[in-house]
Amino acid sequence: MAQDHCAMKVNTDSLILGSWVDVGSAESILDVGTGSGILALMMAQKALPSARIDAIEIDDGAAMQATSNFENAKWSRQLSIFHGDICHFAPSRAYDLVVSNPPYFGEARKNTNAYGNQTKARNIARQTASLDPNALFSASSAALSDGGSMYCLYPSSIKVDVSQIAANCGLYLDRVLHIRHSARKTPYLCAFHFNKSSSISCSEKMSELNAMDSKNTLTIRNEAGDYTDEYKSLCQPFYLNF
């Protein structure tokens, strides 16, 4: 898969999220901020042959790259790309599933060397100023059918705020996956599964944000620095080296 025109390259985070998503019998899927198209392609691999996967991307280069990757994929007939802003997206149908690996870094200070070395495209891909959680969840909720699911990633440090913002937009926490680099590290990232349904007990699910166990925690590497069996098991369908 080509990604030379994308500001943000395929990384472990996207691989984990795409592997963790339960596509089920979803017939219509939307990938928000698709970049090179990695999540949309993973959804196509997991979904029913009859499923349609739409992807939206605001960056010119990334949208062009995703278009090429979709055309060259074995699931090309199931995939479509929309070049634009999710906040102005007017879908022709409701979606059963929305996935997104959104920007989640705060705006960089402009007096730092790191900021000066960032391209505009990379800043858009990385920083919440281009798509904050409220905008993402509002757009996702509007695009979802009743009972639909939404999956995304955000830093563990803002997991409670993210869940509350999602609930305010009509998306209620169903599952969370705490992701850490090693057993000695605290989680740095959370994968969230929200459901557009008021039947879920919010208080019960919110307690899972701070309750870590073997069922909702993923450790990427073991003490030897190798990938753990749990990580390999989760990502194996998409990782040829496994």
Side-chain angles (χ1 to χ4, degrees):
M1 187 187 74
Q3 55 179 338
D4 52 296
H5 291 290
C6 296
M8 288 295 291
K9 310 304 182 186
V10 174
N11 56 27
T12 301
D13 299 348
S14 293
L15 182 62
I16 291 173
L17 178 62
S19 299
W20 188 64
V21 170
D22 181 5
V23 174
S25 58
E27 289 283 354
S28 54
I29 302 170
L30 176 65
D31 175 14
V32 179
T34 194
S36 62
I38 180 63
L39 281 177
L41 289 164
M42 293 176 78
M43 296 304 100
Q45 182 173 333
K46 299 175 77 168
L48 297 170
S50 57
R52 293 289 308 176
I53 300 96
D54 294 338
I56 186 165
E57 174 56 49
I58 194 171
D59 178 68
D60 295 349
M64 178 181 67
Q65 192 94 79
T67 299
S68 176
N69 287 331
F70 290 175
E71 290 174 347
N72 292 322
K74 64 182 294 185
W75 311 279
S76 58
R77 293 186 178 181
Q78 294 176 254
L79 294 154
S80 299
I81 181 77
F82 296 88
H83 181 201
D85 188 335
I86 183 61
C87 297
H88 305 299
F89 183 53
S92 59
R93 58 187 167 195
Y95 293 95
D96 301 318
L97 173 65
V98 174
V99 297
S100 181
N101 182 9
Y104 49 71
F105 290 98
E107 188 172 1
R109 292 182 298 172
K110 296 187 178 182
N111 62 344
T112 64
N113 290 331
Y115 181 91
N117 291 332
Q118 299 291 326
T119 65
K120 180 180 179 181
R122 186 169 173 82
N123 284 331
I124 288 174
R126 288 169 57 88
Q127 295 176 10
T128 54
S130 63
L131 182 64
D132 63 50
N134 187 68
L136 173 62
F137 292 135
S138 293
S140 297
S141 183
L144 277 170
S145 58
D146 290 338
S149 292
M150 195 266 182
Y151 288 80
C152 63
L153 293 169
Y154 277 105
S156 297
S157 59
I158 59 171
K159 59 189 178 185
V160 174
D161 291 338
V162 164
S163 297
Q164 291 175 341
I165 293 170
N168 291 339
C169 296
L171 299 174
Y172 302 97
L173 184 66
D174 188 39
R175 290 190 298 150
V176 62
L177 180 68
H178 303 276
I179 304 165
R180 58 187 179 182
H181 291 296
S182 69
R184 294 187 179 185
K185 300 286 187 179
T186 57
Y188 72 99
L189 196 66
C190 283
F192 297 90
H193 171 206
F194 298 105
N195 196 286
K196 189 177 178 180
S197 171
S198 58
S199 63
I200 295 176
S201 172
C202 295
S203 58
E204 178 182 337
K205 294 297 181 179
M206 288 291 281
S207 66
E208 294 184 15
L209 288 175
N210 296 312
M212 292 174 54
D213 57 38
S214 59
K215 294 182 179 180
N216 70 357
T217 304
L218 176 68
T219 304
I220 298 174
R221 293 185 182 273
N222 58 28
E223 293 299 318
D226 300 320
Y227 288 126
T228 61
D229 290 340
E230 59 189 299
Y231 177 78
K232 289 181 179 180
S233 177
L234 177 67
C235 302
Q236 190 276 330
F238 305 99
Y239 215 132
L240 296 179
N241 290 340
F242 292 165

